[in-house]
Amino acid sequence: MADATATARAEIMRLHRAPEPEVLAPLLKDAALDSEERRRVENRALGMLADLRSAQSSGWVNQFLQEYRLNTSEGIALLSLAEAFLRVPDPETADQLIADKLGNADWKSHAGKSHSTLVNSATWGLVIGRALVSDSEQASSLKRLIARAGEPFVRQAVGAAMRMMGEIFVMGRTIEEAVARMKKRENRGFTASFDMLGEAARTFPDAERYYRAYEDAIHAVGRHAKEGHSISVKLSALHPRYEVAQYERCVPALTEQVEALAALAKRYGIAFTIDAEESERLDMSLDIIGSIAGLPALKGWDGLGMAVQAYGKRCRPTLAWADAIGAATGRRIAVRLVKGAYWDSEIKHTQEQGLSDYPLFTRKAATDVSYLACAKDMLRAKNIYPAFATHNALTVATILEWAGDSRDFEFQRLHGMGEGLYESLVREQGYHTRIYAPVGGHRDLLAYLVRRLLENGANSSFVHQLADERMTDAEILADPVAKIASVGGTRHPSIPLPEDLFAPERKNSEGIDLNDRQELQRVAQFVQSPLAFRAGGEDRTPAADGAGNVTRPQHAPDPDRRLATAAVERALGGFPSWSMQSIEHRAACLDRLADLLERERDHLMALAVQEARKTIPDALGEVREAVDFCRYYAAQARSGLQPIELPGPTGERNVIRMEGRGAWVCIAPWNFPLAIFLGQVTAALVAGNTVVAKPAPQTPEIAAYAVGLAHSAGVPEDALVLAIGGPSVGQALMEDVRIAGVAFTGSTATAKRIARTLLEDDERPIIPLIAETGGINAMIVDSTALPEQVVADVVTSSFRSAGQRCSALRVLLLQEEIADRTLEMLSGAMDTLVVGDPADPKTDVGPVIDQGAYDRLMAHRNAKQNSWLKTIPVPEDGLFVPPTLIAVPELEAVRHEHFGPLLHVTTWKAGQLPETIARVNSTGFGLTMGLHSRIARAAEAVEDVAKVGNLYVNRSMIGAIVGSQPFGGEGLSGTGPKAGGPHYLPRFCAERVTSIDTTSSGGNATLLSLEDVGL
């Protein structure tokens, strides 16, 4: 059996990102029905449709979903309101949220349309609510009436409605309440699998709280063991760092916790199911489940179960693995087959990471095919107890057809959905059905409720189709096998492969799946190895001790003015021939450079780790951004730098051309020694300029390697000249009156010095300066924001890259009412961070770049010691600045950018968002700003008045994507234009117009020919 489990795991690995047609081919064969089977299944499913429609007429939830579909503005508004309302503690923001969600939708069009009196009553309440939040004369009268009544009428009504939705979708606020509710008449004949609400732990206290909740639930359910209920457990709720990079600490800890819970469940004789997680966690989950299944203490207990998602390409071999594990451990593994709950986020993450293919199917019908084929496998498996979680009548009817007389399986449905589908099967035909029953406070249902409604109320889902009166029975019961066969199992045309995300303009940069443990270990081993390379004409091997104490052979003294002058002279000498090359030739060089960067990706990542102290994910991001710059600017040059013929009077030809200016100086920072370095260089080159490229003195090796690759890609050595050195080299380059322009990324103070130097000599030409500098970047958080999301984004924005990004979050502005709760969660999330060697995959925060940076940051941190809200320990040896939260009385107390993992925190009052934005603007910096709010009008208000280059709403503030989020600031944060944007290349060009009078050589022949035609 060891061979069977190993074979299954190998197949799981093989199919992870296999092409969709390849995965679907065998599934289509096994999911297909012959004509007689199809006839029987359709007849049975038609009967179920009748039962479902009957239940709909008596169930207000189904009527509600039918009236307010998720493809309407009203449906989206209600879902958004439900997601946020109950967590808002202050009335002012609650009223703003209500006005935002109710104010723009057309509620009157729904009035009186439903078959449900309750839904119609709710609709009239929404009509009145919209009137109250509008500015009409009718609203004023209603507001005066309610004011006299002395009640916040709308707020109370909305709160009651949201709590009612909580009652519908949550079985009970406590496990005791949930167990009691299962005894009610509506649930007669059903059993439950209780799930303690909570998407994932963010902190270790969260995880401990969830563990105790699961433990208490097992005790409570165990006291009623004869009723057949069970418990479902999310592994991500039991550890805040359930991640592949944290495997060594999370998997052993989780195995120990799950063993204790499983042993308790065994003692009571109840079933215990481990829920499915995102695809990146599948291998870890299987390792944990396999360990638990093999424990001698659990021998003889068939209560261990797992959930498997049919939308994943690896579903079938995962079932084969479960069957093999059952055989090897002498048990039946209970498997809950679900269709999947993370579809949209899995698609997005795969695209963002630039991976080869998706881990799941891109068509809904393909998931249905997978589900049916896998259901057949489960019915045949000897060591699996099948549990089919579905609301689809066709799927249920097909399973019943294949099962024949067997009752050795169960169905499952979500609490609050699927009423009418199973009642007859349970109470009249004796089939076992279990209700997946969430347990917890209504405020805790937020993310869960939204995800479940989206999953089951999506336009393509069976639940939504059933609610659509325009759809015929034949359309609802259409054969998914036929649908997929008709398109050859191909991927959905609207979902391109990640490499084609920006097609046809360019190819997306290729990523590495760092959630593949074997691949992560391979990369880690490589970046930790000594490297030999050429830089500045001699072999050098940097050696890093992992703590930021990097040793290098001694370089020659910084080049003096003579050497800087020589570099400019060489670039000037190369300008005539390079500028005469066609745009296509120059763009092709950039495309070849992008390919070389990807070929040398591992080596470049190692340099970024060893020389620039970057963690492995940051090093990967660095290479990918450099690749994207090359391909983006090549594409932009081909489309945007071509000569353009301009309109004018007849007999005249006017053409504008974009030409290179001459020799540019590009000065790059150490925090993006490859991406920004090459971004500046390639933009200047493709525009027809030659370049003197000066890297930061801390990171010369990676720059030298990149320049070598550029030369290999076809850029002449005298078109791209490397100038390695410190500030004196930079100053000498700036003082050379022959340079044609400067592209600089670094501090505001240095940018101002450059600007002054370029203007000091009255005899030198006025040349362009493109400067990208730093900022006092703020994130504003109001009380509608989801705390878990805020905390994750704050940690990423503040502490990733040790806070050494110009876009990093520097000041967190929390609405007063949520400050304490958010800071408590943020403090706990900081405790989960790993500070250490950047070459170690588990490291979150590495050292800062050099001793000078360390000294400046620690001086500021220590000066503010009495205001620390939170700090965490770091290794004693090395340049590690502890991530620290520093309280400040007001935003204005932060006057300078502190380039490291130090986050300043202050508060703002409800209703003062405009004033808060104005105060951020008054700092004079304008690089990045973040906003976390569920109020769309708040986002619009910030967008209208914030003076920042990049505004990020409900996401982190770092990681701008070339071509998608052009990056750059204003005010003290830079000159623009934005790097990676459509207006960047023209700044490197001289615009030249040629105007030719064609009448002097015989007139406009075209005009004459037109006249002849007219005659």
Side-chain angles (χ1 to χ4, degrees), residues 65 70 75-85 87 162 165 169-170 197 199 341 344 414 417 442-458 786 934:
L65 291 174
L70 298 181
I76 293 170
L78 286 175
L79 193 64
S80 301
L81 188 60
E83 193 273 338
F85 183 81
R87 67 169 171 264
M162 297 301 104
M165 289 188 74
F169 292 102
V170 178
L197 269 180
E199 292 298 289
D344 53 347
L414 287 169
M417 288 190 171
H442 294 158
R443 198 174 74 179
D444 297 328
L445 70 87
L446 304 173
Y448 174 90
L449 172 62
V450 170
R451 196 177 82 217
R452 292 304 181 192
L453 284 177
L454 286 171
E455 176 190 350
N456 294 282
L786 182 64
R934 292 298 192 261

Side-chain angles (χ1 to χ4, degrees), residues 187-479:
N187 295 319
R188 179 174 56 86
F190 291 85
T191 55
S193 180
F194 297 109
D195 170 35
M196 312 310 291
L197 269 180
E199 292 298 289
R202 297 289 181 187
T203 69
F204 286 110
D206 279 348
E208 178 65 21
R209 192 160 50 249
Y210 284 131
Y211 179 85
R212 296 302 171 201
Y214 286 133
E215 194 176 52
D216 292 344
I218 293 172
H219 284 300
V221 173
R223 288 192 288 269
H224 304 271
K226 292 182 179 179
E227 296 175 11
H229 304 314
S230 62
I231 294 293
S232 293
V233 172
K234 289 186 182 71
L235 296 176
S236 56
L238 294 174
H239 200 287
R241 301 302 304 274
Y242 185 38
E243 306 161 23
V244 173
Q246 307 296 325
Y247 185 100
E248 284 79 9
R249 68 166 171 161
C250 72
V251 170
L254 281 166
T255 302
E256 183 179 342
Q257 289 176 301
V258 175
E259 177 186 354
L261 293 174
L264 186 60
K266 181 196 174 192
R267 195 179 91 196
Y268 282 112
I270 64 173
F272 177 88
T273 300
I274 296 173
D275 268 342
E277 303 272 0
E278 295 89 342
S279 64
E280 64 196 37
R281 292 166 164 160
L282 177 61
D283 283 325
M284 291 192 296
S285 295
L286 298 186
D287 287 348
I288 293 168
I289 293 167
S291 295
I292 300 300
L295 290 172
L298 300 180
K299 192 173 182 179
W301 173 59
D302 281 342
L304 179 63
M306 60 185 287
V308 181
Q309 303 185 106
Y311 72 7
K313 293 175 178 176
R314 299 176 290 177
C315 183
R316 195 172 214 180
T318 301
L319 295 175
W321 176 86
D323 190 35
I325 283 291
T329 60
R331 67 172 72 247
R332 289 183 82 193
I333 302 285
V335 176
R336 173 193 295 143
L337 185 64
V338 301
K339 295 200 173 174
Y342 304 95
W343 186 85
D344 53 347
S345 60
E346 297 267 15
I347 293 288
K348 181 181 180 183
H349 291 162
T350 304
Q351 291 177 343
E352 288 174 335
Q353 294 164 16
L355 301 179
S356 60
D357 209 326
Y358 299 102
L360 40 75
F361 300 111
T362 58
R363 296 178 188 265
K364 176 66 169 61
T367 294
D368 291 339
V369 168
S370 172
Y371 193 98
L372 291 173
C374 290
K376 181 179 283 188
D377 288 353
M378 290 168 64
L379 289 169
R380 292 171 174 171
K382 295 180 180 179
N383 307 290
I384 287 177
Y385 172 71
F388 303 112
T390 179
H391 300 139
N392 189 311
L394 183 66
T395 301
V396 172
T398 304
I399 290 169
L400 291 172
E401 170 70 21
W402 286 338
D405 295 332
S406 173
R407 295 291 194 277
D408 191 22
F409 64 93
E410 67 181 50
F411 290 109
Q412 295 190 2
R413 69 169 177 86
L414 287 169
H415 172 61
M417 288 190 171
E419 288 91 344
L421 180 59
Y422 290 113
E423 279 71 9
S424 174
L425 289 175
V426 169
R427 294 166 186 162
E428 298 173 20
Q429 301 176 51
Y431 288 98
H432 182 199
T433 298
R434 190 178 301 274
I435 298 172
Y436 188 83
V439 179
H442 294 158
R443 198 174 74 179
D444 297 328
L445 70 87
L446 304 173
Y448 174 90
L449 172 62
V450 170
R451 196 177 82 217
R452 292 304 181 192
L453 284 177
L454 286 171
E455 176 190 350
N456 294 282
N459 295 342
S460 59
S461 77
F462 181 86
V463 170
H464 184 90
Q465 291 177 345
L466 185 68
D468 189 344
E469 295 177 342
R470 296 168 297 179
M471 294 199 70
T472 66
D473 289 351
E475 289 173 319
I476 293 173
L477 300 179
D479 183 5

Side-chain angles (χ1 to χ4, degrees), residues 175-194:
I175 186 64
E176 290 79 13
E177 185 179 307
V179 171
R181 187 171 177 182
M182 278 302 300
K183 299 178 186 293
K184 292 187 176 181
R185 184 175 179 274
E186 72 220 41
N187 295 319
R188 179 174 56 86
F190 291 85
T191 55
S193 180
F194 297 109

Side-chain angles (χ1 to χ4, degrees), residues 634-834:
Q636 287 286 302
R638 290 185 176 106
S639 63
L641 298 187
Q642 301 290 350
I644 300 173
E645 191 159 338
L646 303 174
T650 185
E652 186 173 283
R653 182 171 181 264
N654 301 297
V655 177
I656 186 170
R657 306 182 318 280
M658 309 295 281
E659 307 265 346
R661 290 176 172 272
W664 275 66
V665 174
C666 295
I667 302 177
W670 50 260
N671 63 329
F672 283 93
L674 180 68
I676 291 180
F677 177 82
L678 280 181
Q680 296 172 339
V681 165
T682 55
L685 287 170
V686 81
N689 304 285
T690 53
V691 176
V692 177
K694 182 198 170 301
Q698 297 92 336
T699 53
E701 284 92 349
I702 194 168
Y705 201 88
V707 168
L709 291 178
H711 293 158
S712 298
V715 178
E717 292 188 4
D718 57 359
L720 174 56
V721 182
L722 185 66
I724 293 177
S728 61
V729 174
Q731 184 64 28
L733 290 170
M734 295 304 98
E735 292 174 356
D736 194 316
V737 297
R738 297 170 297 172
I739 65 174
V742 178
F744 167 79
T745 301
S747 72
T748 303
T750 302
K752 287 183 174 182
R753 284 197 296 272
I754 291 173
R756 285 193 294 269
T757 301
L758 297 179
L759 293 173
E760 279 175 354
D761 189 339
D762 292 339
E763 299 299 318
R764 76 182 299 168
I766 299 172
I767 63 173
L769 166 63
I770 302 173
E772 180 190 310
T773 58
I776 299 179
N777 308 313
M779 179 186 287
I780 301 170
V781 181
D782 74 15
S783 62
T784 68
L786 182 64
E788 292 83 357
Q789 184 183 3
V790 170
V791 167
D793 289 341
V794 167
V795 169
T796 296
S797 302
S798 302
F799 305 130
R800 185 168 170 179
S801 307
Q804 298 173 116
R805 293 183 183 229
C806 50
S807 57
L809 173 60
R810 307 298 179 198
V811 183
L812 178 61
L813 297 161
L814 298 171
Q815 187 179 321
E816 285 181 345
E817 287 80 0
I818 60 162
D820 290 344
R821 179 160 54 106
T822 305
L823 288 172
E824 180 183 5
M825 188 179 295
L826 178 56
S827 174
M830 290 173 65
D831 285 331
T832 73
L833 294 174
V834 177

Side-chain angles (χ1 to χ4, degrees), residues 52 55-57 59-67 416-419 463 467:
L52 280 164
Q56 274 195 340
S57 63
W60 85 270
V61 174
N62 290 318
Q63 289 290 312
F64 192 84
L65 291 174
Q66 181 176 1
E67 188 62 37
M417 288 190 171
E419 288 91 344
V463 170

Side-chain angles (χ1 to χ4, degrees), residues 5 74 98 189 196 284 317 325 378 392 427 585 601 619 701 735 812 838 879 885 933 946 989 997:
T5 56
E74 293 81 18
I98 294 168
M196 312 310 291
M284 291 192 296
I325 283 291
M378 290 168 64
N392 189 311
R427 294 166 186 162
H585 175 85
R601 179 179 53 205
E701 284 92 349
E735 292 174 356
L812 178 61
L879 302 176
L885 299 183
S933 175
C989 299
D997 181 0

